Amino acid sequence: MERNEQIISAGIDIGTSTTKLILSRFTLMNTAGSSHVPRIEIIDKEIIYKSSIYRTPLLNETLIDMKSVLGLVEQEYKKAGVRPQDIQTGAVIITGETATKQNAEEMLHLLSEQAGEFLVATAGPDLEGIIAGKGSGAFQRSKETGQTIANIDIGGGTANIAVYQAGLLRGTCTLNIGGRLIEFDNDRVKNISPPVRKLLMQLGITLATGDGVSFDFIRPVTEAMARILVHILQRKMTRDDEVLLLGHPPDWKVPIDQIMFSGGVSECIYGHEPSSDSYADIGVHLAKALQDNPELQDWEWIPPAETVRATVLGAGTQTTHISGATIQVDPARLPLKNLPVYQIGMDRNLEDGSQKVKNAIQQAIQVYDPALEGKNFVLYLTDLPFLRFRDVQQLGNWLIDAYRLQPNQTNPIVIVLQDDLAKVLGQTLLAMQSDRDVICIDQILVEQGDYLDIGNKLQSEVVPVVIKTLAFHS
Amino acid sequence: MKTLTEEVVEMVIKALEAQKSSSNEKREGPSLNIKFSEYSEIGVLNPRNRDSIVRAQAITPARIGIGRAGTRMRTSSYLRFRIDHAAAQDAVRKDVNEEILKQFNLPILKTIAADMDTYLMNLDAGRKLSDCSAEWLEKNIEKGNQVQILVCDGLSSSAVESNMPDLLPALIQGLKLKNITVAPPLFIKRSRVWVQDHVASIVNCDLIISLIGERPGLATAESLSAYMVYRPNEKTVEADRTVISNIHKGGLSPVEAGAYLSDLLAKMLISKCSGVQFSQKRYLETN
C-alpha cells in the first residue's frame, strides 16, 4: 500500500591529492506487517552519480581554494541534475594532509551548509579509517565471514587503518604514509613533508628540495614505510617506528586475519579507474614496495570493492542511520548538528534514578559545556528496565528537574534511547509542560563521546542520523 | 540455578501439601498463582557453536536450540510447552481481575453472551451489548466526544491485565496533549471487536478504539491489539478498521503503543476515515 520513500545522499571527500563526490539514492521501506507499528529500514542504496577524480584545489601550501571546491561541487551537482536542497543526508569528509590546512574547518562547514539540506561535516584520522573501511567493503566482508580484516586506506597524505572483526570495529591507527609525502617536479624533488624529513634523518639519507629524483632515496623510504606498516599491523611497534605515527598507537587487541588496501595508492595496485592520471610523487613506488614486502604477504590480501573512491563511498552511503519510527521531535528544531553524546546506563533498574539522572546531566555539562556557554549535548539512555507508565512519568520528572541545571534553557532537550520508548517519553516530557522543546529518538546505537547529527524528519516519520565516532574505546 | 524440572516438581509438592492440610476443613484447594522463571535454555548437548544458538534464540521466541532426548523433547522442553499451553488456556477462560478495572474506574458492561461457553461458541453473542448495558450506556455516558476508548477481554484476559494499566494512561496522555476530547473508557466483558460498532451508535463519537486481548499463542498469552474505526454504521466491514497488534512486554511495549496510537488516532480524525481508506489517503498525501 505505502510507496517506498526515496532520499538522496551525497558523499564528498576532499583529500590530500584528490577530491571527488558521489550521489546515491536510498530507498526506505516499512518492513513491518500492516497490522504492526512501522519499522523503517534502508532497503536499497543505488549509486546514481560518480564524479571524476579531481586534484584538490589549493591556493598555496596552507590554504584550500574554497571557491574552486564549491564551484566544483556545484558543477558536479548540475551534471548529475540535483540541487543542494535535494540532498537529504550524507557527509563531507576532509582527509589526510588537507585536514591540516588553515581553512580546513571553514571549508568543511561551508560545504556542509551549502551543499545539502543535511550534510554532515566529518573529520579526524580515526573517522577517515572507519569510513574508508566501510566504503572499501572490509566492514561488510568481516561481517559476512566473521574474520578480522584490517583495511588500510592509503591516500596522498596518510594511511588510515581500521580493524573490523565480524562487523565490529576493533581499533584504528593512522600513519604518515602516503603517495604525496615526497613530490616531484619533472626530475627534481619539489617538496618533502615534515614526517618524511624525520624518517630520512633516521635512515641516514640526506635529501633536499631541488635534488634529482633517484631510487637511492625512493627505495629506502618506501621500504621503510612498508616495514613500519607491518610492525603496526603485528602490534610490534618499535620506538623508531613512531616517526611515522600520527596520533595514538594501534589499539586493537586481536590478531589480523586478512588485509585490504584501499585509497589512491591501492589504485596503483588494482587499477580500478579507467584512466589513471600520473601523479608526480612516490605513490606508485609505495604501491610497489607494499607488493614486494615479504612479511605483508603473510596475510591474505583481499581486493577492495573500491580503491581511490572508498572514502567518498563510505561517506556517501555508510554514514546514515535511520531512527525508530515512533519518535517525538519538534521539526522546527531540526536539523541538529554536532552534538556530543553523554550516556547513562540504568543497569536495568530505576533505583537511585533521580540521583543518577542528575549526576549524569551535571557531568555532561562539566564535560561538554565547561564554560557554561550553553552548548547542548545528547543524553543517551541505555539499559532501562521494562517501564510501566508510572516509571515513564517518574523518569520524565527526573529529567525535567535535572535539565534545569543547563545554563541555556532555550536549547531543546535532546534524548536518544536504546529501546523503543521515544514517543512515550517525548510525549510525557511535553505533557509535563516544561517550556523546552523536545527531540526524543530511539533505536540508534551510539557510544559515550560520539558526536551526533540529527536530520530533518522524513515522510516516513523517521529522522536520518549520522554518528561520528571520534573517540574509540573497546 | 534450578532447572525447570526441579522448579515444577517443587511446585507440585507444595500444592499437594497445601491441599492435604486444607482438605479437612474445605473441599476446595487454594487457588495457586504460579510464576515460573522465564529464561530460555540451550538444550543442545555439547553444541559445536554455542554462540550461534544464543544469537538465534535472541531473535525469536520460537523453541529452537532446545536439543532432544533420543527422538523426543527433553523433559524440561515438554514442561515449558505445557506451562505455556496452560497459560494460553487460562488467558481465554478466566475473567479480568475486577480490582484492576476498579483502579481505572472502568464501568463494567456486558454483551449478550451470558456465559463463557456461549461466548466462545456463538461469535455474534460477543458483538452486541446486553439490553441492560445498552440502557445504562444510553443514560450515563458522556456523548459526542471525538474518541471513545473500550477495553475488551476478547480472547485473553491476561493481555488486558498486563497491558491495559500502562497502555491506557499513555494513550489518554497522548490524546490530551493534542487537545482531542476523550470519553471515559469502558470495559466490556466477553466482547469481540464488532461490539465497538454497537457502542459507537450509542455514544456518537468520531472514532472508537478497542483495546482487546488477542487469541493467545504459545509464545505469549499476553498480546493485545487495538482496533480503530471511524464512525461505523451498518455497512461497516473489516476493511474499514485499522489494527495495531502485538502489544505486550516482548513486542511493542504498552507505553510506547499508547503514545503511538494517540498519534494514529489524531491522523484519522483529520482524514475522517479508518482502515484501508485511511491507508490509501495517507499514501496519496505523502506522494
Side-chain angles (χ1 to χ4, degrees):
Chain A
M1 176 59 59
E2 285 164 51
R3 190 183 299 170
N4 295 333
E5 182 174 7
Q6 293 188 319
I7 58 172
I8 295 179
S9 168
I12 305 176
D13 172 16
I14 305 167
T16 310
S17 312
T18 61
T19 292
K20 50 259 167 197
L21 76 84
I22 68 152
L23 298 169
S24 40
R25 188 182 289 125
F26 293 175
T27 303
L28 272 58
M29 189 172 96
N30 176 9
T31 58
S34 62
S35 72
H36 286 71
V37 170
R39 183 177 56 238
I40 308 296
E41 290 179 79
I42 300 175
I43 54 154
D44 188 46
K45 294 173 184 175
E46 182 201 352
I47 294 173
I48 52 173
Y49 185 76
K50 279 185 181 182
S51 78
S52 320
I53 310 254
Y54 293 97
R55 295 290 174 99
T56 298
L58 297 175
L59 283 178
N60 53 45
E61 271 186 33
T62 55
L63 287 174
I64 305 166
D65 183 351
M66 299 207 288
K67 228 170 149 184
S68 297
V69 172
L70 274 181
L72 205 148
V73 170
E74 219 170 276
Q75 165 204 326
E76 290 296 320
Y77 276 13
K78 237 177 232 153
K79 269 198 218 166
V82 301
R83 298 162 303 168
Q85 60 265 38
D86 300 330
I87 309 292
Q88 281 161 291
T89 191
V92 188
I93 187 163
I94 204 157
T95 59
E97 282 210 318
T98 310
T100 64
K101 304 288 184 221
Q102 272 172 24
N103 58 351
E105 206 178 319
E106 205 185 330
M107 174 83 258
L108 202 54
H109 290 116
L110 196 68
L111 267 182
S112 118
E113 285 300 320
Q114 302 201 353
E117 282 289 300
F118 176 60
L119 204 53
V120 175
T122 57
D126 288 336
L127 202 57
E128 270 178 63
I130 292 166
I131 289 177
K134 287 189 170 171
S136 72
F139 161 77
Q140 189 60 27
R141 190 185 166 91
S142 82
K143 200 170 159 185
E144 281 162 13
T145 62
Q147 301 270 36
T148 307
I149 304 184
N151 190 72
I152 307 146
D153 189 86
I154 311 183
T158 54
N160 302 83
I161 307 169
V163 176
Y164 286 102
Q165 180 182 43
L168 290 174
L169 180 66
R170 288 299 183 190
T172 55
C173 186
T174 302
L175 300 167
N176 283 302
I177 294 179
R180 209 159 184 74
L181 295 180
I182 303 179
E183 283 175 79
F184 309 138
D185 188 6
N186 293 320
D187 54 352
R188 296 278 149 199
V189 173
K190 185 179 146 197
N191 191 29
I192 310 167
S193 79
V196 172
R197 280 174 203 273
K198 282 191 215 156
L199 177 68
L200 286 163
M201 217 146 67
Q202 202 181 73
L203 296 171
I205 300 170
T206 37
L207 184 72
T209 48
D211 287 358
V213 173
S214 141
F215 280 111
D216 292 347
F217 70 84
I218 292 177
R219 207 168 275 149
V221 165
T222 53
E223 279 171 5
M225 285 175 168
R227 188 171 60 238
I228 291 173
L229 177 63
V230 168
H231 294 170
I232 295 290
L233 292 174
Q234 292 172 332
R235 287 170 298 147
K236 288 179 186 160
M237 197 176 69
T238 66
R239 166 116 339 137
D240 282 352
D241 298 338
E242 284 172 25
V243 67
L244 293 188
L245 186 68
L246 195 156
H248 64 82
D251 54 2
W252 56 88
K253 296 178 179 68
V254 286
I256 288 159
D257 301 321
Q258 297 166 332
I259 56 178
M260 186 181 279
F261 285 99
S262 63
V265 168
S266 80
E267 173 58 27
C268 305
I269 302 174
Y270 296 104
H272 280 194
E273 299 296 325
S275 64
S276 268
D277 209 350
S278 90
Y279 295 83
D281 59 31
I282 56 169
V284 278
H285 309 287
L286 177 58
K288 176 124 194 359
L290 297 172
Q291 285 171 295
D292 291 346
N293 182 298
E295 283 175 292
L296 276 176
Q297 301 302 325
D298 288 348
W299 288 286
E300 189 188 347
W301 288 36
I302 309 293
E306 286 288 337
T307 55
V308 64
R309 295 181 202 263
T311 304
V312 76
L313 197 79
T317 65
Q318 303 285 331
T319 52
T320 300
H321 298 258
I322 295 291
S323 73
T326 56
I327 55 174
Q328 189 71 37
V329 298
D330 190 333
R333 287 290 195 163
L334 294 175
L336 279 172
K337 290 191 169 179
N338 216 37
L339 294 181
V341 173
Y342 196 90
Q343 180 175 357
I344 338 180
M346 300 301 281
D347 303 322
R348 306 268 167 226
N349 71 67
L350 293 182
E351 270 167 56
D352 306 323
S354 161
Q355 201 54 43
K356 258 190 214 164
V357 170
K358 193 164 231 166
N359 288 346
I361 299 280
Q362 246 161 7
Q363 281 162 20
I365 294 170
Q366 248 169 47
V367 176
Y368 297 123
D369 191 17
L372 302 179
E373 297 157 274
K375 290 184 182 157
N376 209 356
F377 52 84
V378 172
L379 194 67
Y380 181 40
L381 272 168
T382 62
D383 302 307
L384 283 163
F386 175 73
L387 294 188
R388 317 294 311 247
F389 185 69
R390 60 170 182 277
D391 300 328
V392 179
Q393 284 184 309
Q394 202 172 37
L395 185 62
N397 268 320
W398 295 337
L399 287 164
I400 295 263
D401 259 0
Y403 265 98
R404 293 214 172 92
L405 296 169
Q406 268 193 324
N408 183 353
Q409 292 288 309
T410 61
N411 272 336
I413 292 177
V414 188
I415 296 173
V416 175
L417 293 145
Q418 195 178 29
D419 304 311
D420 184 10
L421 287 165
K423 199 177 261 304
V424 69
L425 183 61
Q427 288 187 354
T428 301
L429 291 173
L430 290 177
M432 286 175 172
Q433 306 204 320
S434 110
D435 301 328
R436 316 263 311 248
D437 292 331
V438 173
I439 305 284
C440 196
I441 64 173
D442 60 25
Q443 289 166 299
I444 291 282
L445 289 179
V446 286
E447 272 183 62
Q448 174 97 337
D450 288 354
Y451 278 72
L452 220 60
D453 288 55
I454 304 172
N456 291 315
K457 197 170 176 181
L458 304 177
Q459 278 169 12
S460 317
E461 311 217 335
V462 294
V463 288
V465 176
V466 173
I467 303 160
K468 295 176 289 186
T469 308
L470 295 190
F472 178 73
H473 313 281
S474 150
Chain B
M1 202 170 16
K2 265 185 289 186
T3 66
L4 183 66
T5 317
E6 284 165 349
E7 230 179 289
V8 171
V9 168
E10 211 170 274
M11 292 285 186
V12 171
I13 291 171
K14 239 192 240 168
L16 285 174
E17 274 170 3
Q19 224 169 26
K20 219 186 276 170
S21 61
S22 67
S23 62
N24 298 334
E25 302 131 40
K26 275 194 206 159
R27 281 294 303 154
E28 276 171 45
S31 81
L32 279 173
N33 201 352
I34 303 173
K35 273 257 178 250
F36 292 101
S37 45
E38 287 182 24
Y39 56 89
S40 65
E41 58 170 357
I42 295 178
V44 181
L45 268 182
N46 307 319
R48 200 177 304 166
N49 189 342
R50 195 182 179 83
D51 287 349
S52 67
I53 299 180
V54 173
R55 273 203 299 275
Q57 284 185 339
I59 56 171
T60 173
R63 282 153 232 265
I64 56 171
I66 57 173
R68 61 192 169 87
T71 57
R72 298 185 185 198
M73 272 192 256
R74 296 168 70 243
T75 307
S76 60
S77 309
Y78 179 65
L79 287 170
R80 170 75 61 203
F81 188 86
R82 290 291 304 269
I83 289 167
D84 292 342
H85 192 215
Q89 287 179 314
D90 280 355
V92 176
R93 285 272 166 192
K94 77 179 186 187
D95 286 327
V96 173
N97 183 343
E98 293 197 2
E99 280 304 307
I100 297 178
L101 300 176
K102 248 182 231 160
Q103 274 171 33
F104 285 84
N105 296 319
L106 294 177
I108 302 174
L109 305 187
K110 286 179 182 154
T111 59
I112 54 177
D115 54 54
M116 186 52 84
D117 286 333
T118 312
Y119 175 64
L120 292 176
M121 300 302 287
N122 176 2
L123 302 190
D124 282 335
R127 292 167 175 166
K128 276 265 170 289
L129 288 178
S130 69
D131 289 346
C132 172
S133 286
E135 215 169 284
W136 181 91
L137 197 59
E138 186 70 54
K139 276 189 199 143
N140 293 288
I141 194 73
E142 241 179 82
K143 292 182 187 173
N145 285 292
Q146 287 173 290
V147 174
Q148 174 70 55
I149 304 172
L150 303 182
V151 178
C152 302
D153 46 7
L155 287 176
S156 174
S157 300
S158 313
V160 171
E161 286 177 3
S162 74
N163 297 301
M164 185 273 289
D166 299 311
L167 202 170
L168 198 57
L171 173 59
I172 292 172
Q173 168 179 280
L175 292 172
K176 291 213 164 132
L177 206 55
K178 292 178 253 297
N179 297 316
I180 293 169
T181 55
V182 194
L186 309 164
F187 174 77
I188 309 177
K189 190 168 172 173
R190 289 187 209 120
S191 57
R192 293 186 182 270
V193 174
W194 289 6
V195 80
Q196 61 182 196
D197 299 3
H198 189 193
V199 174
S201 72
I202 298 172
V203 304
N204 184 31
C205 55
D206 287 331
L207 266 172
I208 188 157
I209 171 170
S210 301
L211 309 174
I212 185 165
E214 290 173 15
R215 181 193 304 125
L218 287 164
T220 176
E222 296 184 348
S223 190
L224 193 89
S225 284
Y227 282 83
M228 293 149 271
V229 61
Y230 187 83
R231 292 218 162 259
N233 55 37
E234 61 285 356
K235 285 183 194 152
T236 296
V237 292
E238 285 320 280
D240 295 325
R241 294 177 223 278
T242 295
V243 59
I244 294 297
S245 65
N246 201 37
I247 301 166
H248 59 100
K249 202 173 171 176
L252 176 66
S253 78
V255 285
E256 188 72 351
Y260 173 69
L261 288 169
S262 75
D263 280 12
L264 199 59
L265 290 171
K267 283 179 194 143
M268 286 181 186
L269 283 172
I270 293 169
S271 299
K272 297 189 190 301
C273 59
S274 55
V276 172
Q277 211 191 336
F278 174 65
S279 305
Q280 277 173 334
K281 223 171 190 176
R282 283 184 81 189
Y283 169 76
L284 291 174
E285 274 162 14
T286 54
N287 284 286

